[in-house]
Amino acid sequence: MAPPVNIIVGSHVWVEDPKEAWVGGEVSRINGEEVHVQTKNGKTVVTHISKVFPEDTEAPPGGVDDMTKLSYLHEPGVLHNLAARYELNEIYTYTGNILIAVNPFQRLPHMYDTHMMEQYKGAGFGELSPHVFAIADVAYRAMINEGKSNSILVSGESGAGKTETTKMLMRYLAYLGGRSGVEGRTVEQQVLESNPVLEAFGNAKTVRNNNSSRFGKFVEIQFDKSGRISGAAIRTYLLERSRVCQVSDPERNYHCFYLLCAAPPEDREKFKLGNPKEYHYLNQSSCYVLDGIDDSEEYAATRRAMDVVGISDEEQDAIFMVVAAILHLGNVEFAKGEEIDSSVIKDEKSRFHLSTTAELLKCDPKSLEDALIKRVMVTPEEVITRTLDPASALASRDALAKTVYSRLFDWLVEKINFSIGQDPNSKSLIGVLDIYGFESFKFNSFEQFCINFTNEKLQQHFNQHVFKMEQEEYTKEEIDWSYIEFVDNQDVLDLIEKKPGGVISLLDEACMFPKSTHETFAQKLYQTFKNHKRFIKPKLSRTSFTISHYAGEVTYLADQFIDKNKDYVIAEHQDLLTASKCPFVAGLFPPLPEESSKSSKFSSIGSRFKLQLQSLMETLSSTEPHYIRCVKPNNVLKPAIFENFNIIQQLRCGGVLEAIRISCAGYPTRRTFYEFLNRFGVLAPDVLEGNCDDKVACQMILDKMGLAGYQIGKTKVFLRAGQMAELDAKRAEVLGNAARTIQRQIRTHMARKEFIAVRKAAIRLQSYVRGISSREIFEKLRQEAAAVKIQKYLRRYIARKSYSRVRLSAVTLQTGLRAMTARNEFRFRKQTKAAILLQAHLRCHIAYLYYRSLQKAAIVTQCGWRRRVARRELRNLKMAAKETGALKEAKDKLEKRVEELTYRVQLEKRLRTDLEEEKAQEAAKFQEALHAMQIQLEEANARAIREREAAQKAIEDAPPLIKETPVLIQDTEKIDSLSAEVESLKTMLLSERQAAEAARKACIDAEARNAELTRQLEDAGRKVDQLQESVQRLEEKLSSTESENQVLRQQALTMSPKALSSRPKTVIIQRTPENGNIVNGESKVTSDLSLSISSAREPESEEKPQKSLNEKQQENQELLIKCITQDLGFFGGRPIAACVIYKCLLHWRSFEVERTGIFDRVIQTVASAIEVQDNNDTLAYWLSNTSTLLLLLQHTLKASGAASLTPQRRRTSSASLFGRMSQGLRASPQSAGLSFLNGRGGLGRLDDLRQVEAKYPALLFKQQLTAFLEKIYGMIRDNLKKEISPVLGLCIQAPRTSRASLLKGRAQANAIAQQALIAHWQSIVKSLDNYLKIMKANYVPPFLVRKVFTQIFSFINVQLFNSLLLRRECCSFSNGEFVKAGLAELEQWCYGASEEYAGSAWDELKHIRQAVGFLVIHQKPKKTLNEITKELCPVLSIQQLYRISTMYWDDKYGTHSVSSDVISSMRVMMTEDSNNAVSSSFLLDDDSSIPFSVDDISKTMEQVDITDIEPPPLIREHSGFGFLLPRLE
């Protein structure tokens, strides 16, 4: 970073701050080299001028997405830009083609879902917001297009998010190149699932990160020629083996140990494990559990991941058995033995763990004990066995544990690679490097040395890449860069790895000598590198050394370098585990070759690691690198905390600042000609007024400013460090002068305005004074006139008052006299009237007394007579009461019978299922009762007749004693008794007749009620029958659709004519919830699936259709196919081809035959016609024909298997009462009275079409036609999408204003620019008009036209809205005005197209309309969250509103976005949504499905009358097509 120039008083600068690293301020005073800065936090800082850096006051408040666009590319500028973006949750930022990823420490699922992947797929680099997907996409596209391998290097310190970033990279690459692998597992799935396995065994909690990778990983993803993943391989580097035995507090050991201790009880019992606190290798730290992590669930997840990567259950058990053995081994302790320098097992607890370890490793416990505490030395003379002291025995134990764990980890990596499989034929790959970042702790050991050595290597590669990118940029712009120096760190690498004499070489040399110690090793380093500028000897230490790395100085403790560098397995350990009875353990330690076991060749960790690193660098050098630098914003691992010092250190360690230094060595500031002229055109307005091009104008401005060393490229201006600040200073001076001129004019204007105001006030004051004087004179005159008027009115009042008093006296006197006379007259009349009234009342009273006496006498007489009559009537009633007893009994019986009948009728009503039987029984009972009553009546009549005859006979037989003998008293009595008996019999007969008549009436009433109930029941039955018919039709329709879908849908577009014509007559119907009783795979003959009542539907059509077509029919079919291949056009808005095809198929009875080829011929004709996908006229023609033909088929065809495919519950309904009542109605033919289409018949509208029982080919034809309708619709829609897609990219962002707008003629230039802007939208409107015209010309149903434009407008909405959210330059005020104007064009088109064709298309733009409305609204900071979400943008989600609010910038008026309180409220709501598992994706998804069904077409399309369709000339005169001619009435 070059020292700043042109720092003047008033300049905005960055100055160092002890708390915030850098703080902004304004220069208040300059004393030579001293600068006084007034900072934003209120402090005054005095510093050297070389330590302040200019601040860009015109930088966007939300930062820039590419830091190469910064006007000042220096450390504070980079830091401020990252902080501004991090505050808005923008965690990704570019620096050229390098991606900086700041860990948000919170889940942001919307940034990594499938919608986001689709947006970045194929998008140009830098076109969308920075993202890890963009880096992966660039690597993938480069690999596909150039055929060269690529690599992505992910680096950063522990906790920066390297592992998560690597996961996202691999997910995206799997999304781009995913393909199914062997045995149902995909290669990409295995690669992704290898992460949990390697994390479990290679990651651990550190001070800085809960899931820190303690090894380096390079994943090679191999691709085939088509860009699909074909294989993968994983390489690992430098596993931190020492962590197995040594853990610092509060860190943890590797995750797998804790996962195994949290395993299910049966697994823990198998491995004899307990609480983690019981094991020495784990209880060295007090941390056992991670916040938010359930180790038992992680254990199960690790097991599942092992299954995916191909590790068998036996191997998994063996792996965890080895892990458990390491834990038990760590609890083995040693005590001093009886002999000198000897050791023994300490106690029984240690003995138990020793035996458990031996049991798990399946080796001999005694051999294990000897391997830990004894060493065998082989000499030429003898074999010597010596024992180890307790300290050495513990070291031996730890060495065994580390060796076993290291071998286990290597086996896992090898197994994963073997399971995934590598593609030997792959020519290209993408490597993802996830490796530890630069580390510098309080105490640094051998692991940090290797890690930093790796980062030095990678930094050199990174520097070379950055310099190469700089060279390519300069070369592309054709500028001279030969004198730019390149900063290299080769001297540090030589210090570490050079042979001989490097640190690693000296370390290996020290390891080869038994008597070497860390002190001797340190002294060797001091002697060798005492003059090296990168090597520093600490003053107060004898075993430490400091190396000056690119990221800073790091002091290493050499105490354990020698021990950790040794990489050999103790022979006793090797022999012990090689002899293990467990094949897995023995496989980890294969027997060494005899020559290698005898050889004493030395092997070290450092040398092996150097070779691995060399191999890695060769791989990276052969690929095109891409860099991702992960940054940890704070050490507390919490969101929304940005620690500046921490970030600065990581930027240094990550090499970002080094890259900036490389850029500053050349031309750090690059501006396009437009941007340069737009910013610095004010320095030379005369240049802008000329007609020279932009490049010459830039050259003239720079020459006028007197700058040297700059370069003018083909499209950009390249400025040296400091030149931007110099131009800005001169620009600030010009703007300052302009400001002073404006101020002078403003002050003049204000002074004149004040003078005019004073003068105006004086004039107004004078007018007020004159007005007051005039008003006083006027008031005096007015008072005089008023006094005269008052006097006049007073005199008139007095005179009138005197006159009124005299007149009142006269009137009063007259009134008194007249009143006295009137009172006398009134008194006389009153007395006369009172006398008359007294006389009238007296006469009335006398007459009334006389009337009352007469009335009383009459009442007494009447009462006596009525009493006499009543007594006589009483006697008669008593006599009659005795005779009505029998009638009452009969009446009660009849009433009971009537009640019983009523009850039975009601019971009948409730039990409808047995109504007819009950009806018959009741009728029989009524007949029987009536018959019995008639019999009783006849018997009573007969008995009465017999008695009458007997009495008559007795009278006749009696001797005529009247004439001859005196009358005997006994005979007379007998006659009287007989006569009385006859009378009684008559009375009984009469009563019986009356009872019979009453019973008959009751029966008639009951029958009438029964008839009424029967009529109501029949009405209800008819209604039920109608409902059942409706249900039947729906069920038949449903079952027909089900059968068609199950059998035909999958073959709709792919079946060949031969396959169709040779298809057997059976249909295989799978069991589904809809067709309940059909067994899986059961074969039903189609003819058996027809309705049982089909024979009763059309008796006239009993004859079966012919099973084969004769030659005449073949000729007719050929002629029909030849005819429809031509464009037949339309007749009265109806497609002729569809109508002709339908009439021919119906006449030939093709729908009812089992085998025919005509359907496939028609389908082939349609398929061949739409092969040219870009011929929209042809597509629209066939869309109209297929929709019309499908409409006709929908109203004609009926699946023959509909009845038997319906659910079982339909059959059970026939057993009920309503089923029996409606059977007859259902058996009636639905098509009764409809004529069959033949040579003499014809068809009318759809209502007149008869339904036919469709066979299998007809159903298949209908499904194929449906599929082709959907395909043609999709082709038209997709063609329109393809046509407008390129224009949509230009419609989302307003083109930059030309240089002419920078001059005085801004209005005219803006008018021209506005016309150019609207041109893109007008091209879209033109495309819409063209498609609408084509579809109207081909009479496409308006329903389908509406669906096309609705989906097109939805596509426009999705594309514009997603682009708006992903590109910050689109979220500006002027761009909102531009898009709003374009949307107005679309709205105008919708009005012009009418609702019939446009439908609800305009409503589909609701997202982009509301977003644009938000962009162009004024006074955003005053809007509350409720106003925004409820009134302005009710459709937009909180995530979308937050995205727009944070990305918004006003490039026209310089206003701000919504207030910080609203932003904070949005963040809270977003956090709640993420906690509630609510989808937080802010992108919209385009719906490319078919938005209609066949039923929708049949419901919305108008009826088609096909009677008057004229046949085409080709077949009009043919005798076989005479039925097509319209009938003459």
Side-chain angles (χ1 to χ4, degrees), residues 214-216 236-240 436 447 450-451 605 609 612:
R214 306 317 298 163
F215 66 99
T236 58
Y237 303 94
L238 193 65
L239 177 70
E240 189 180 359
Y436 19 63
E447 290 82 7
C450 293
I451 288 172
I605 294 287
F609 181 69
Q612 288 181 340

Side-chain angles (χ1 to χ4, degrees), residues 1181-1382:
Y1181 170 77
W1182 280 108
L1183 180 63
S1184 178
N1185 278 277
T1186 52
S1187 59
T1188 303
L1189 182 56
L1190 190 60
L1191 175 67
L1192 296 170
L1193 297 182
Q1194 183 72 5
H1195 286 80
T1196 303
L1197 301 186
K1198 182 176 65 176
S1200 60
S1204 60
L1205 288 175
T1206 53
Q1208 182 66 22
R1209 54 182 171 82
R1210 281 193 54 218
R1211 300 196 187 97
T1212 60
S1213 64
S1214 63
S1216 64
L1217 170 65
F1218 299 105
R1220 293 197 303 274
M1221 293 179 66
S1222 58
Q1223 266 184 342
L1225 294 175
R1226 286 205 304 268
S1228 64
Q1230 296 179 355
S1231 57
L1234 296 178
S1235 61
F1236 184 78
L1237 180 64
N1238 50 31
R1240 297 184 298 271
L1243 288 173
R1245 296 177 300 113
L1246 287 179
D1247 295 340
D1248 301 329
L1249 300 180
R1250 70 179 184 89
Q1251 287 192 335
V1252 298
E1253 299 284 350
K1255 301 299 182 183
Y1256 178 84
L1259 296 179
L1260 178 60
F1261 175 64
K1262 180 183 173 185
Q1263 288 294 336
Q1264 288 176 320
L1265 199 63
T1266 303
F1268 269 98
L1269 171 65
E1270 296 175 353
K1271 181 179 180 181
I1272 297 171
Y1273 170 88
M1275 291 167 66
I1276 294 177
R1277 178 198 63 200
D1278 295 340
N1279 286 345
L1280 183 51
K1281 283 185 180 180
K1282 292 177 183 177
E1283 187 170 328
I1284 67 176
S1285 289
V1287 189
L1288 281 178
L1290 303 174
C1291 289
I1292 187 57
Q1293 186 176 4
R1296 287 170 173 166
T1297 309
S1298 63
R1299 183 159 57 91
S1301 65
L1302 302 175
L1303 306 176
K1304 296 180 181 179
R1306 183 180 298 271
Q1308 181 181 1
N1310 282 346
I1312 299 174
Q1314 192 68 20
Q1315 294 178 0
L1317 299 184
I1318 298 300
H1320 302 312
W1321 293 95
Q1322 289 176 344
S1323 63
I1324 294 180
V1325 171
K1326 184 178 179 181
S1327 299
L1328 297 176
D1329 279 331
N1330 185 31
Y1331 274 74
L1332 179 59
K1333 182 179 178 181
I1334 290 174
M1335 287 189 281
K1336 278 185 176 180
N1338 289 277
Y1339 296 97
V1340 176
F1343 169 74
L1344 295 179
V1345 179
R1346 288 195 298 272
K1347 291 296 182 182
V1348 168
F1349 288 121
T1350 299
Q1351 285 199 301
I1352 290 300
F1353 273 64
S1354 176
F1355 172 74
I1356 295 174
N1357 179 65
V1358 170
Q1359 295 300 316
L1360 293 181
F1361 187 75
N1362 288 349
S1363 298
L1364 190 72
L1365 296 187
L1366 290 175
R1367 297 164 62 180
R1368 186 177 181 277
E1369 61 271 15
C1370 298
C1371 285
S1372 64
F1373 187 91
S1374 60
N1375 196 66
E1377 291 180 327
F1378 165 63
V1379 179
K1380 186 177 181 180

Side-chain angles (χ1 to χ4, degrees), residues 22 164 177 264 365 440 570 796 870 1137 1194 1437 1447:
W22 294 95
E164 290 299 320
S440 177
I570 299 174
R796 186 183 66 179
Q1194 183 72 5
S1437 66
M1447 294 179 66

